[in-house]
Amino acid sequence: MKQSLKDLVKPEKVLIKTDTTDIERQIRARYEAEMQELRENQEKELAALKKAQVETPREAPEEPAPTDMTLGSVSDVRELRSGIPFKTEVTVTKGGIASIERKDAASYAASYQLTIKAPTPAKTITELETSNKSLSKVLPGLPALVEKAEVSPWFYRLYDEKTTRIRRSANTLNELLTKHNLYDCETMLHLQAPTGRKIFFLQAEMDVVSDGSDGDRLPTMPEEIVNSTHYQPYTSYGWPKKTRTPNPLIAGFERRIAAGQKELEEKGTPAERKTWLRDRIAMLKRGIEDMKARSFLIAEYDPFIVIPVSIITANSSRDPFAPRVGDYAVVVHGEKIYPAIVGDGGPTFKVGEASLRMAREINPKSSPYSRPISDLTVSYLVFSGSREEERQPPDYVKWRQKCHELLGEMGGVGEGYSLHEWQDLLPKPAPPEPAPAAPGATPGPPGPAVPGAPDAPTAPVTPAAPVSPPAAPGQ
């Protein structure tokens, strides 16, 4: 049956429920990992403190005995780890006796003023091309769409979330969001193609996510990942398992459960610790059931992008531009176009994140601990509402074709440009060894194939393990 061009590019309406269960599970897992890291850091600090207490202090040179307190002001300027210039000034003046001063609220006071400039979103193609001068050549239809675009409310929500987080940290004198992570988003725009297709445009940097697992496609993983308390087996995008091959990370979860149960049985374990262990064991058991039932993307092998969970769980009837898990997307950096999907949900206070596979394609030096792009030069285009009704394992050829069609709705790619072709890098089973020849038999050439006969079955071989290290917390 012949179809018109209009029919081919007309967006299909697909109604899918928000993946709240997946997102809630993912948030719980990340929270548990952060709490585990916090406890480990506290234990290290306590150990360092105890060590310092037992060391013999050095004898300091004798100083003249003071006859009065030192008065005046002392200023100090330094740069915090977050990249913020920090100026302090302590002023000491003469007061009354201590029993009076301790009741005076003004005798010991501090003021803490933090100045933040909220950025203005880029709204024109000229502003966008200050970050990537090739955008109009790569996507010739983009300038016309940007001219009619509206700034996404999510841009303002993102920076409200950042400043709220900073205020909360400043109020408790905790470590602040870094300047780099504060200014990680150039803009978010709502674009609309001539066909009516809604497009979510994001200009940002690129951080790295290295989570995910799939026993069907990768039945073995390195022991440092299997035993890691930080590596997350899940991604927001998942699908029902296709084989009985177990997820390799189940073994690590089972060992952690056994260790937790052993500690629970010890008489000296404090009550507070036991409560935490029970919660932890319950969380690990839920994770095992999830890994037995479903498979997930693998960041080291699959190209996908990450969108804040606050956006991908938004009500689609109220915000039809908001990306959803599984929506098709393209990433543009320089003059390269990379097809992908929205594969995972990330923190609500930062944007610009992609899988390790995507990161290494853009910058081979990328790792779970090293982002590929630190400048705001990466464009993410998500074709809202484009995800498939039924989730399936990654099909890179299909992903590329779908992204090519969706780009066609907004004017296609420029002359001389094309979408990147992803290769399947997952380890493949080795070819089976030939059966040994019978004693005394002379091996001859293979006989002619019988028409219509099936190929001889081959024994399954466990593929080789990947080489990436476990993920760093917070990425």
Side-chain angles (χ1 to χ4, degrees):
M1 180 185 295
K2 293 185 178 180
Q3 290 179 294
S4 67
L5 178 62
K6 183 177 180 181
D7 291 330
L8 286 173
V9 299
K10 183 178 180 181
E12 297 180 358
K13 293 184 178 179
V14 179
L15 299 178
I16 305 177
K17 294 182 179 178
T18 302
D19 313 290
T20 53
T21 303
D22 292 349
I23 302 301
E24 289 172 359
R25 167 192 44 72
Q26 186 182 21
I27 292 174
R28 281 198 304 267
R30 289 192 173 183
Y31 175 78
E32 290 288 344
E34 290 176 2
M35 292 300 99
Q36 177 70 15
E37 181 190 12
L38 179 60
R39 291 186 183 90
E40 291 175 357
N41 289 338
Q42 289 174 339
E43 290 174 0
K44 290 178 182 178
E45 290 177 4
L46 287 173
L49 180 61
K50 290 179 181 178
K51 182 180 179 181
Q53 289 175 340
V54 299
E55 290 179 350
T56 304
R58 297 180 180 179
E59 293 185 2
E62 186 175 348
E63 296 181 356
T67 57
D68 200 354
M69 290 176 290
T70 303
L71 306 179
S73 299
V74 178
S75 297
D76 183 36
V77 179
R78 64 187 179 93
E79 186 172 287
L80 302 179
R81 284 197 303 170
S82 54
I84 303 171
F86 189 66
K87 178 181 178 180
T88 59
E89 183 178 34
V90 178
T91 301
V92 181
T93 61
K94 194 73 171 179
I97 59 177
S99 58
I100 294 177
E101 295 300 344
R102 76 184 318 183
K103 298 176 183 178
D104 182 3
S107 64
Y108 188 26
S111 63
Y112 179 15
Q113 183 177 8
L114 186 63
T115 302
I116 301 172
K117 285 188 176 181
T120 300
K123 301 175 184 177
T124 67
I125 193 67
T126 301
E127 290 175 326
L128 292 177
E129 289 191 335
T130 60
S131 299
N132 183 357
K133 62 182 180 181
S134 300
L135 266 180
S136 297
K137 292 189 297 181
V138 176
L139 301 175
L142 184 62
L145 271 60
V146 171
E147 187 177 346
K148 299 178 181 180
E150 294 182 356
V151 176
S152 172
W154 289 108
F155 178 85
Y156 303 111
R157 292 188 184 114
L158 171 70
Y159 277 98
D160 281 345
E161 175 71 22
K162 291 174 183 288
T163 54
T164 298
R165 186 181 182 90
I166 290 171
R167 285 199 302 268
R168 188 166 57 243
S169 298
N171 191 47
T172 54
L173 297 180
N174 283 333
E175 186 171 356
L176 301 173
L177 186 69
T178 66
K179 188 173 184 179
H180 183 98
N181 285 335
L182 171 60
Y183 299 109
D184 64 0
C185 179
E186 190 85 322
T187 196
M188 294 183 192
L189 299 176
H190 288 173
L191 311 179
Q192 190 155 338
T195 61
R197 169 72 64 189
K198 292 174 173 56
I199 304 166
F200 182 86
F201 182 94
L202 167 67
Q203 185 79 18
E205 60 175 14
M206 182 178 285
D207 279 327
V208 181
V209 64
S210 56
D211 298 332
S213 61
D214 180 5
D216 297 342
R217 298 184 297 145
L218 190 67
T220 60
M221 297 182 81
E223 282 299 302
E224 59 266 27
I225 288 181
V226 173
N227 296 320
S228 172
T229 58
H230 304 304
Y231 189 93
Q232 296 300 317
Y234 333 99
T235 57
S236 299
Y237 185 91
W239 59 92
K241 277 184 64 63
K242 306 298 182 182
T243 74
R244 295 182 179 180
T245 307
N247 188 305
L249 298 186
I250 289 178
F253 274 43
E254 290 174 339
R255 285 196 285 268
R256 287 154 66 186
I257 289 173
Q261 289 174 335
K262 181 179 179 181
E263 189 176 352
L264 270 176
E265 296 170 359
E266 296 175 357
K267 295 182 179 180
T269 304
E272 183 180 354
R273 174 69 175 175
K274 286 185 176 181
T275 300
W276 180 84
L277 285 168
R278 293 189 187 97
D279 292 341
R280 184 73 170 176
I281 289 171
M283 185 272 293
L284 292 170
K285 288 181 176 179
R286 289 193 300 267
I288 288 176
E289 292 304 312
D290 205 5
M291 286 187 278
K292 287 181 177 179
R294 300 198 303 155
S295 293
F296 307 94
L297 298 172
I298 309 171
E300 186 173 356
Y301 295 98
D302 298 323
F304 62 87
I305 67 172
V306 180
I307 299 292
V309 293
S310 53
I311 300 180
I312 61 176
T313 57
N315 188 317
S316 58
S317 62
R318 295 180 181 177
D319 187 359
F321 285 90
R324 299 289 180 271
V325 175
D327 278 348
Y328 288 100
V330 294
V331 175
V332 180
H333 181 255
E335 297 188 343
K336 300 291 185 179
I337 314 170
Y338 303 93
I341 65 167
V342 177
D344 209 1
T348 59
F349 59 91
K350 59 180 293 189
V351 294
E353 192 173 8
S355 65
L356 182 58
R357 174 72 188 277
M358 176 78 73
R360 282 179 172 165
E361 189 64 37
I362 293 175
N363 182 350
K365 295 182 180 179
S366 303
S367 76
Y369 315 108
S370 176
R371 65 175 63 92
I373 303 295
S374 292
D375 297 325
L376 308 183
T377 56
V378 184
S379 302
Y380 304 81
L381 289 83
V382 181
F383 301 98
S384 307
S386 63
R387 65 180 180 170
E388 304 291 341
E389 188 170 2
E390 183 179 351
R391 295 185 184 178
Q392 294 291 340
D395 184 339
Y396 305 148
V397 174
K398 179 180 179 180
W399 288 8
R400 183 176 186 269
Q401 179 61 30
K402 290 289 291 187
C403 287
H404 176 76
E405 294 170 3
L406 290 163
L407 282 171
E409 295 187 33
M410 56 172 286
V413 300
E415 185 177 354
Y417 298 98
S418 62
L419 275 75
H420 178 77
E421 294 186 41
W422 295 106
Q423 303 300 316
D424 185 359
L425 301 182
L426 283 161
K428 301 298 184 293
E433 295 183 4
T442 302
V450 180
D455 295 335
T458 59
V461 179
T462 301
V467 296
S468 71
Q475 292 197 340

